[in-house]
PDB file of all heavy atoms in Angstrom:
ATOM      1  N   PRO A1392     103.102  24.536  40.967  1.00  0.00           N
ATOM      2  CA  PRO A1392     102.994  23.769  42.215  1.00  0.00           C
ATOM      3  C   PRO A1392     101.998  22.626  42.012  1.00  0.00           C
ATOM      4  O   PRO A1392     100.915  22.840  41.461  1.00  0.00           O
ATOM      5  CB  PRO A1392     102.462  24.800  43.230  1.00  0.00           C
ATOM      6  CG  PRO A1392     102.030  25.990  42.462  1.00  0.00           C
ATOM      7  CD  PRO A1392     102.764  25.960  41.157  1.00  0.00           C
ATOM      8  N   LYS A1438     102.410  32.301  53.428  1.00  0.00           N
ATOM      9  CA  LYS A1438     101.562  33.212  52.639  1.00  0.00           C
ATOM     10  C   LYS A1438     101.457  32.776  51.184  1.00  0.00           C
ATOM     11  O   LYS A1438     100.773  33.409  50.390  1.00  0.00           O
ATOM     12  CB  LYS A1438     102.142  34.631  52.680  1.00  0.00           C
ATOM     13  CG  LYS A1438     102.128  35.261  54.067  1.00  0.00           C
ATOM     14  CD  LYS A1438     102.467  36.744  53.956  1.00  0.00           C
ATOM     15  CE  LYS A1438     102.695  37.368  55.312  1.00  0.00           C
ATOM     16  NZ  LYS A1438     104.138  37.616  55.584  1.00  0.00           N
ATOM     17  N   GLY A1439     102.178  31.735  50.807  1.00  0.00           N
ATOM     18  CA  GLY A1439     102.150  31.293  49.419  1.00  0.00           C
ATOM     19  C   GLY A1439     103.072  32.112  48.540  1.00  0.00           C
ATOM     20  O   GLY A1439     102.992  32.064  47.312  1.00  0.00           O
ATOM     21  N   LEU A1440     103.967  32.885  49.177  1.00  0.00           N
ATOM     22  CA  LEU A1440     104.909  33.724  48.418  1.00  0.00           C
ATOM     23  C   LEU A1440     106.251  33.026  48.301  1.00  0.00           C
ATOM     24  O   LEU A1440     106.553  32.103  49.061  1.00  0.00           O
ATOM     25  CB  LEU A1440     105.103  35.056  49.150  1.00  0.00           C
ATOM     26  CG  LEU A1440     103.838  35.887  49.361  1.00  0.00           C
ATOM     27  CD1 LEU A1440     104.144  37.108  50.215  1.00  0.00           C
ATOM     28  CD2 LEU A1440     103.246  36.301  48.012  1.00  0.00           C
ATOM     29  N   LEU A1441     107.070  33.497  47.364  1.00  0.00           N
ATOM     30  CA  LEU A1441     108.410  32.936  47.230  1.00  0.00           C
ATOM     31  C   LEU A1441     109.327  33.504  48.309  1.00  0.00           C
ATOM     32  O   LEU A1441     109.236  34.668  48.675  1.00  0.00           O
ATOM     33  CB  LEU A1441     109.000  33.271  45.850  1.00  0.00           C
ATOM     34  CG  LEU A1441     108.328  32.631  44.644  1.00  0.00           C
ATOM     35  CD1 LEU A1441     109.094  32.997  43.375  1.00  0.00           C
ATOM     36  CD2 LEU A1441     108.227  31.123  44.794  1.00  0.00           C
ATOM     37  N   VAL A1442     110.214  32.672  48.776  1.00  0.00           N
ATOM     38  CA  VAL A1442     111.280  33.095  49.677  1.00  0.00           C
ATOM     39  C   VAL A1442     112.235  33.968  48.831  1.00  0.00           C
ATOM     40  O   VAL A1442     112.472  33.650  47.668  1.00  0.00           O
ATOM     41  CB  VAL A1442     111.999  31.833  50.218  1.00  0.00           C
ATOM     42  CG1 VAL A1442     113.196  32.202  51.061  1.00  0.00           C
ATOM     43  CG2 VAL A1442     111.012  30.959  51.002  1.00  0.00           C
ATOM     44  N   ARG A1471     113.197  29.348  40.490  1.00  0.00           N
ATOM     45  CA  ARG A1471     111.790  29.741  40.438  1.00  0.00           C
ATOM     46  C   ARG A1471     111.621  31.173  39.957  1.00  0.00           C
ATOM     47  O   ARG A1471     110.500  31.649  39.830  1.00  0.00           O
ATOM     48  CB  ARG A1471     111.193  29.628  41.830  1.00  0.00           C
ATOM     49  CG  ARG A1471     110.323  28.393  42.030  1.00  0.00           C
ATOM     50  CD  ARG A1471     109.780  28.467  43.438  1.00  0.00           C
ATOM     51  NE  ARG A1471     108.609  27.688  43.636  1.00  0.00           N
ATOM     52  CZ  ARG A1471     108.598  26.472  44.164  1.00  0.00           C
ATOM     53  NH1 ARG A1471     109.717  25.871  44.477  1.00  0.00           N
ATOM     54  NH2 ARG A1471     107.458  25.854  44.367  1.00  0.00           N
ATOM     55  N   THR A1472     112.741  31.856  39.733  1.00  0.00           N
ATOM     56  CA  THR A1472     112.684  33.232  39.216  1.00  0.00           C
ATOM     57  C   THR A1472     113.839  33.378  38.215  1.00  0.00           C
ATOM     58  O   THR A1472     114.801  32.597  38.254  1.00  0.00           O
ATOM     59  CB  THR A1472     112.908  34.279  40.328  1.00  0.00           C
ATOM     60  OG1 THR A1472     114.229  34.117  40.865  1.00  0.00           O
ATOM     61  CG2 THR A1472     111.896  34.151  41.462  1.00  0.00           C
ATOM     62  N   THR A1550      95.616  29.281  49.728  1.00  0.00           N
ATOM     63  CA  THR A1550      97.048  29.489  49.507  1.00  0.00           C
ATOM     64  C   THR A1550      97.477  28.950  48.148  1.00  0.00           C
ATOM     65  O   THR A1550      98.338  29.528  47.491  1.00  0.00           O
ATOM     66  CB  THR A1550      97.861  28.818  50.642  1.00  0.00           C
ATOM     67  OG1 THR A1550      97.219  29.106  51.873  1.00  0.00           O
ATOM     68  CG2 THR A1550      99.276  29.349  50.690  1.00  0.00           C
ATOM     69  N   VAL A1551      96.846  27.873  47.717  1.00  0.00           N
ATOM     70  CA  VAL A1551      97.200  27.300  46.415  1.00  0.00           C
ATOM     71  C   VAL A1551      96.909  28.314  45.307  1.00  0.00           C
ATOM     72  O   VAL A1551      97.706  28.489  44.375  1.00  0.00           O
ATOM     73  CB  VAL A1551      96.445  25.982  46.163  1.00  0.00           C
ATOM     74  CG1 VAL A1551      96.632  25.519  44.724  1.00  0.00           C
ATOM     75  CG2 VAL A1551      96.935  24.896  47.117  1.00  0.00           C
ATOM     76  N   LYS A1552      95.780  29.039  45.440  1.00  0.00           N
ATOM     77  CA  LYS A1552      95.435  30.045  44.410  1.00  0.00           C
ATOM     78  C   LYS A1552      96.528  31.101  44.337  1.00  0.00           C
ATOM     79  O   LYS A1552      96.969  31.495  43.260  1.00  0.00           O
ATOM     80  CB  LYS A1552      94.085  30.695  44.711  1.00  0.00           C
ATOM     81  CG  LYS A1552      92.932  29.738  44.485  1.00  0.00           C
ATOM     82  CD  LYS A1552      91.619  30.485  44.237  1.00  0.00           C
ATOM     83  CE  LYS A1552      90.452  29.521  44.148  1.00  0.00           C
ATOM     84  NZ  LYS A1552      89.932  29.133  45.488  1.00  0.00           N
ATOM     85  N   ARG A1553      96.990  31.547  45.495  1.00  0.00           N
ATOM     86  CA  ARG A1553      98.061  32.546  45.532  1.00  0.00           C
ATOM     87  C   ARG A1553      99.340  31.980  44.910  1.00  0.00           C
ATOM     88  O   ARG A1553     100.028  32.641  44.137  1.00  0.00           O
ATOM     89  CB  ARG A1553      98.299  32.960  46.992  1.00  0.00           C
ATOM     90  CG  ARG A1553      99.582  33.752  47.244  1.00  0.00           C
ATOM     91  CD  ARG A1553      99.460  35.220  46.914  1.00  0.00           C
ATOM     92  NE  ARG A1553      98.583  35.909  47.831  1.00  0.00           N
ATOM     93  CZ  ARG A1553      98.927  36.377  49.040  1.00  0.00           C
ATOM     94  NH1 ARG A1553     100.164  36.221  49.450  1.00  0.00           N
ATOM     95  NH2 ARG A1553      98.075  36.993  49.806  1.00  0.00           N
ATOM     96  N   ARG A1554      99.647  30.727  45.237  1.00  0.00           N
ATOM     97  CA  ARG A1554     100.872  30.121  44.706  1.00  0.00           C
ATOM     98  C   ARG A1554     100.807  29.983  43.182  1.00  0.00           C
ATOM     99  O   ARG A1554     101.824  30.114  42.503  1.00  0.00           O
ATOM    100  CB  ARG A1554     101.111  28.761  45.367  1.00  0.00           C
ATOM    101  CG  ARG A1554     101.548  28.921  46.824  1.00  0.00           C
ATOM    102  CD  ARG A1554     101.417  27.647  47.595  1.00  0.00           C
ATOM    103  NE  ARG A1554     102.332  26.630  47.158  1.00  0.00           N
ATOM    104  CZ  ARG A1554     102.194  25.336  47.391  1.00  0.00           C
ATOM    105  NH1 ARG A1554     101.139  24.905  48.069  1.00  0.00           N
ATOM    106  NH2 ARG A1554     103.088  24.483  46.987  1.00  0.00           N
ATOM    107  N   LEU A1555      99.596  29.724  42.666  1.00  0.00           N
ATOM    108  CA  LEU A1555      99.457  29.640  41.211  1.00  0.00           C
ATOM    109  C   LEU A1555      99.692  31.004  40.564  1.00  0.00           C
ATOM    110  O   LEU A1555     100.355  31.103  39.520  1.00  0.00           O
ATOM    111  CB  LEU A1555      98.065  29.108  40.839  1.00  0.00           C
ATOM    112  CG  LEU A1555      97.936  27.596  40.815  1.00  0.00           C
ATOM    113  CD1 LEU A1555      96.474  27.183  40.608  1.00  0.00           C
ATOM    114  CD2 LEU A1555      98.796  26.976  39.707  1.00  0.00           C
ATOM    115  N   ASP A1556      99.158  32.063  41.194  1.00  0.00           N
ATOM    116  CA  ASP A1556      99.395  33.421  40.669  1.00  0.00           C
ATOM    117  C   ASP A1556     100.885  33.722  40.653  1.00  0.00           C
ATOM    118  O   ASP A1556     101.428  34.238  39.682  1.00  0.00           O
ATOM    119  CB  ASP A1556      98.687  34.488  41.534  1.00  0.00           C
ATOM    120  CG  ASP A1556      97.176  34.429  41.366  1.00  0.00           C
ATOM    121  OD1 ASP A1556      96.717  33.836  40.369  1.00  0.00           O
ATOM    122  OD2 ASP A1556      96.460  34.971  42.238  1.00  0.00           O
ATOM    123  N   VAL A1557     101.543  33.392  41.775  1.00  0.00           N
ATOM    124  CA  VAL A1557     102.986  33.628  41.890  1.00  0.00           C
ATOM    125  C   VAL A1557     103.730  32.826  40.818  1.00  0.00           C
ATOM    126  O   VAL A1557     104.652  33.320  40.174  1.00  0.00           O
ATOM    127  CB  VAL A1557     103.492  33.249  43.307  1.00  0.00           C
ATOM    128  CG1 VAL A1557     105.013  33.176  43.357  1.00  0.00           C
ATOM    129  CG2 VAL A1557     102.974  34.239  44.341  1.00  0.00           C
ATOM    130  N   TYR A1558     103.281  31.596  40.601  1.00  0.00           N
ATOM    131  CA  TYR A1558     103.913  30.758  39.572  1.00  0.00           C
ATOM    132  C   TYR A1558     103.833  31.432  38.200  1.00  0.00           C
ATOM    133  O   TYR A1558     104.833  31.563  37.506  1.00  0.00           O
ATOM    134  CB  TYR A1558     103.252  29.368  39.516  1.00  0.00           C
ATOM    135  CG  TYR A1558     103.655  28.605  38.280  1.00  0.00           C
ATOM    136  CD1 TYR A1558     104.918  28.029  38.190  1.00  0.00           C
ATOM    137  CD2 TYR A1558     102.808  28.518  37.175  1.00  0.00           C
ATOM    138  CE1 TYR A1558     105.325  27.380  37.038  1.00  0.00           C
ATOM    139  CE2 TYR A1558     103.203  27.868  36.013  1.00  0.00           C
ATOM    140  CZ  TYR A1558     104.462  27.306  35.950  1.00  0.00           C
ATOM    141  OH  TYR A1558     104.869  26.677  34.801  1.00  0.00           O
ATOM    142  N   HIS A1559     102.618  31.875  37.825  1.00  0.00           N
ATOM    143  CA  HIS A1559     102.460  32.456  36.485  1.00  0.00           C
ATOM    144  C   HIS A1559     103.286  33.720  36.329  1.00  0.00           C
ATOM    145  O   HIS A1559     103.880  33.966  35.279  1.00  0.00           O
ATOM    146  CB  HIS A1559     100.988  32.735  36.194  1.00  0.00           C
ATOM    147  CG  HIS A1559     100.204  31.472  35.990  1.00  0.00           C
ATOM    148  ND1 HIS A1559     100.530  30.562  35.007  1.00  0.00           N
ATOM    149  CD2 HIS A1559      99.159  30.936  36.657  1.00  0.00           C
ATOM    150  CE1 HIS A1559      99.700  29.530  35.080  1.00  0.00           C
ATOM    151  NE2 HIS A1559      98.863  29.733  36.077  1.00  0.00           N
ATOM    152  N   GLU A1560     103.337  34.486  37.397  1.00  0.00           N
ATOM    153  CA  GLU A1560     104.027  35.765  37.328  1.00  0.00           C
ATOM    154  C   GLU A1560     105.555  35.597  37.340  1.00  0.00           C
ATOM    155  O   GLU A1560     106.253  36.204  36.542  1.00  0.00           O
ATOM    156  CB  GLU A1560     103.583  36.584  38.536  1.00  0.00           C
ATOM    157  CG  GLU A1560     103.737  38.068  38.370  1.00  0.00           C
ATOM    158  CD  GLU A1560     103.173  38.752  39.595  1.00  0.00           C
ATOM    159  OE1 GLU A1560     101.941  38.615  39.836  1.00  0.00           O
ATOM    160  OE2 GLU A1560     103.953  39.355  40.328  1.00  0.00           O
ATOM    161  N   GLN A1561     106.070  34.768  38.264  1.00  0.00           N
ATOM    162  CA  GLN A1561     107.516  34.763  38.498  1.00  0.00           C
ATOM    163  C   GLN A1561     108.254  33.544  37.949  1.00  0.00           C
ATOM    164  O   GLN A1561     109.431  33.623  37.639  1.00  0.00           O
ATOM    165  CB  GLN A1561     107.791  34.867  40.002  1.00  0.00           C
ATOM    166  CG  GLN A1561     107.172  36.118  40.603  1.00  0.00           C
ATOM    167  CD  GLN A1561     107.722  36.384  41.999  1.00  0.00           C
ATOM    168  OE1 GLN A1561     108.925  36.506  42.180  1.00  0.00           O
ATOM    169  NE2 GLN A1561     106.847  36.463  42.978  1.00  0.00           N
ATOM    170  N   THR A1562     107.567  32.406  37.850  1.00  0.00           N
ATOM    171  CA  THR A1562     108.271  31.172  37.468  1.00  0.00           C
ATOM    172  C   THR A1562     108.053  30.791  36.007  1.00  0.00           C
ATOM    173  O   THR A1562     108.974  30.325  35.342  1.00  0.00           O
ATOM    174  CB  THR A1562     107.855  30.005  38.391  1.00  0.00           C
ATOM    175  OG1 THR A1562     108.032  30.422  39.748  1.00  0.00           O
ATOM    176  CG2 THR A1562     108.698  28.773  38.157  1.00  0.00           C
ATOM    177  N   GLN A1563     106.845  31.014  35.505  1.00  0.00           N
ATOM    178  CA  GLN A1563     106.564  30.615  34.125  1.00  0.00           C
ATOM    179  C   GLN A1563     107.538  31.229  33.102  1.00  0.00           C
ATOM    180  O   GLN A1563     107.887  30.557  32.118  1.00  0.00           O
ATOM    181  CB  GLN A1563     105.118  30.947  33.769  1.00  0.00           C
ATOM    182  CG  GLN A1563     104.544  29.972  32.763  1.00  0.00           C
ATOM    183  CD  GLN A1563     103.043  30.128  32.593  1.00  0.00           C
ATOM    184  OE1 GLN A1563     102.433  31.097  33.053  1.00  0.00           O
ATOM    185  NE2 GLN A1563     102.446  29.176  31.932  1.00  0.00           N
ATOM    186  N   PRO A1564     108.003  32.476  33.307  1.00  0.00           N
ATOM    187  CA  PRO A1564     108.985  33.033  32.362  1.00  0.00           C
ATOM    188  C   PRO A1564     110.233  32.161  32.181  1.00  0.00           C
ATOM    189  O   PRO A1564     110.949  32.295  31.184  1.00  0.00           O
ATOM    190  CB  PRO A1564     109.360  34.387  32.985  1.00  0.00           C
ATOM    191  CG  PRO A1564     108.171  34.775  33.809  1.00  0.00           C
ATOM    192  CD  PRO A1564     107.606  33.480  34.330  1.00  0.00           C
TER     193      PRO A1564
END
Side-chain angles (χ1 to χ4, degrees):
K1438 295 191 190 105
L1440 301 174
L1441 293 184
V1442 175
R1471 257 182 159 98
T1472 63
T1550 317
V1551 170
K1552 289 203 186 83
R1553 167 81 69 83
R1554 288 164 67 200
L1555 274 173
D1556 289 342
V1557 167
Y1558 167 75
H1559 289 302
E1560 203 176 297
Q1561 302 194 57
T1562 307
Q1563 211 169 12

